[in-house]
Amino acid sequence: MKKILLTILLTVILCSAWYLTASADDSQGKKLYNGWCAQCHGYDGDAKSYTDKFSMPKPRDFTMGTYKFRSTPSGEPPTDSDITKIVRNGNPGTSMPPWTRFTDDEIKAIVAHVKTFAPDIFKDAGKPITIGTPPKASADLIKKGKELFNKAKCVECHGKEGRGNGEKGWQDNFKNDWGDPITPANYTHPWELRNGSNVEDIFRTISVGLGGTPMTSYIDSLKDEDRWALAVFIKSLQQERKLGVAIKIKKTAAIPTKVDDPAWDKVESMDLPMGGQLMFEPRDFTTLITNVRVRGLYTDKELAVMVEWSDKKPNNGSDGKPADAVWIQFPEKVSETVEKPYFFMGDKKHPVYLWSWKASDAGKVTEQLAKSYENVEDLQKHDVTVIAGYNDGLYRVVYKRALKTGSKDDFEVVPGKFVPFSIAAFDGQNDESGIKCAVSAWYYLMLEPATPLRVYVFPPLVALFVFFGGLSLSRSLKSKK
């Protein structure tokens, strides 16, 4: 009898301990979720929240059990590791930050709670696909991948150059499972690939697709070696971001007269990360232009600055949406001792010049003087000219101006001196106009000074002096022996 009672007592204690532990875990996950996740994903996991009208892409609705980023085949739920990775690392370029403040146990509890929003989906655990070792990239493999890129119709969404500008991506029915319009990925911008940008990540995305989007799984339609070739080709499209604080403008005999002149591709460039204008209403939380590339050349008489950026759908304003646009900004007074103006359109004490271009006025540039975003004056001058073009998802705008305009009001561009500048870019398809735009911080350009003649003359003279001096000394020593 004692044994029976002891057994019952132990069973009750163990069950109570399990219940209390499970309740504590569930309570911790729910508490953390409600405190840090529900404001975007909703307290019931249905994404009905404070931010659903302001976020793009919108926060994930967990009740459908559909996860965009998985390591499991299409139709299977993500693994706990998949969800943990998203919570821990966040989604770059979205409102989902990396949650480094949580311990591993806390994230485990959050993941457990998130899965309770779609219990039927997680009834059976998903099994990750096998990635294996990627093949070594080669010209032949890239060529094969490029052929598959067209054959598998990737080009219809991602465009010929992989900039996400394919025609299919702009059809009315190009939406996710929640009915929200989305855009194809720009493969040339690895920092925008939220499922990872290395070859293994790309292979996984091609293999399992992106849940809830038109990006389907190719694991059944393409063999492993074909998916690897495709991944290697896509990897080869990625643009290397060249960051810095100043760009050197080299001197040339003549500035190219066309934006697509191959000579421009050989010119040193610098990339400017772009962010939304968040200082003044209307703020731009979801700008689509994430990077602007700048390069330049100068001659004895003029300066040319090229601004280049990706835009998945060009817009000249003819469809009722704002025209795509860009402006480059310089301080009114350029001096190494003068304080720089406020970086967005200056201020009353420190005005800025704007060289404004719009796709609706392709061959025209408007010169403006701004003392704030509310105080902008069009200048009746035509010192700056512009040429512009759009090809395969890429805008190029080249501004040209004389180094010295003859006007005392204009800033001079002198070789060897740093000139502050910044950029603002507008995506009309994203309804960006006015002050709703992507902006950069202040950067510098500097015209590389001509190399002084002494650099070419003095070293040979010194070498000759050393040679003949040594020769004379040698002869003198031999004569004394």
Side-chain angles (χ1 to χ4, degrees), residues 260-321:
D260 56 354
D261 191 315
W264 279 115
D265 297 327
K266 300 175 184 176
V267 176
E268 180 180 332
S269 63
M270 184 172 74
D271 290 298
L272 281 54
M274 305 292 284
Q277 188 286 111
L278 302 178
M279 287 68 68
F280 309 105
E281 293 282 359
R283 297 179 172 87
D284 195 356
F285 291 95
T286 54
T287 179
L288 300 182
I289 300 173
T290 62
N291 191 80
V292 166
R293 175 164 283 186
V294 176
R295 47 169 65 92
L297 290 168
Y298 81 101
T299 64
D300 288 332
K301 296 182 178 179
E302 63 179 356
L303 163 71
V305 179
M306 172 186 278
V307 181
E308 173 187 299
W309 73 99
S310 291
D311 189 314
K312 296 177 181 177
K313 183 174 174 52
N315 197 301
N316 62 11
S318 60
D319 60 354
K321 285 184 171 292

Side-chain angles (χ1 to χ4, degrees), residues 144-165:
K144 178 182 177 182
K146 186 175 183 179
E147 292 170 355
L148 286 165
F149 194 72
N150 289 286
K151 186 177 179 182
K153 299 183 178 180
C154 309
V155 68
E156 291 184 357
C157 294
H158 297 283
K160 191 170 71 173
E161 300 295 331
R163 296 192 178 102
N165 58 312

Side-chain angles (χ1 to χ4, degrees), residues 327-329 345 352-356 366-370 376:
W327 49 249
I328 184 168
Q329 168 184 280
M345 306 184 82
V352 295
Y353 281 124
L354 304 180
W355 298 353
S356 299
T366 302
E367 296 177 59
Q368 298 171 304
L369 185 69
V376 183

Side-chain angles (χ1 to χ4, degrees), residues 241 243-247 270-279 289-292 294 307 327-331 340-346 352 354 419-425 437-445:
R241 221 173 191 179
L243 303 176
V245 295
I247 181 169
M270 184 172 74
D271 290 298
L272 281 54
M274 305 292 284
Q277 188 286 111
L278 302 178
M279 287 68 68
I289 300 173
T290 62
N291 191 80
V292 166
V294 176
V307 181
W327 49 249
I328 184 168
Q329 168 184 280
F330 300 97
K340 287 198 297 292
Y342 184 62
F343 84 100
F344 186 70
M345 306 184 82
V352 295
L354 304 180
V419 178
F421 76 96
S422 69
I423 302 285
C437 58
V439 295
S440 79
W442 280 114
Y443 291 88
Y444 295 89
L445 62 83

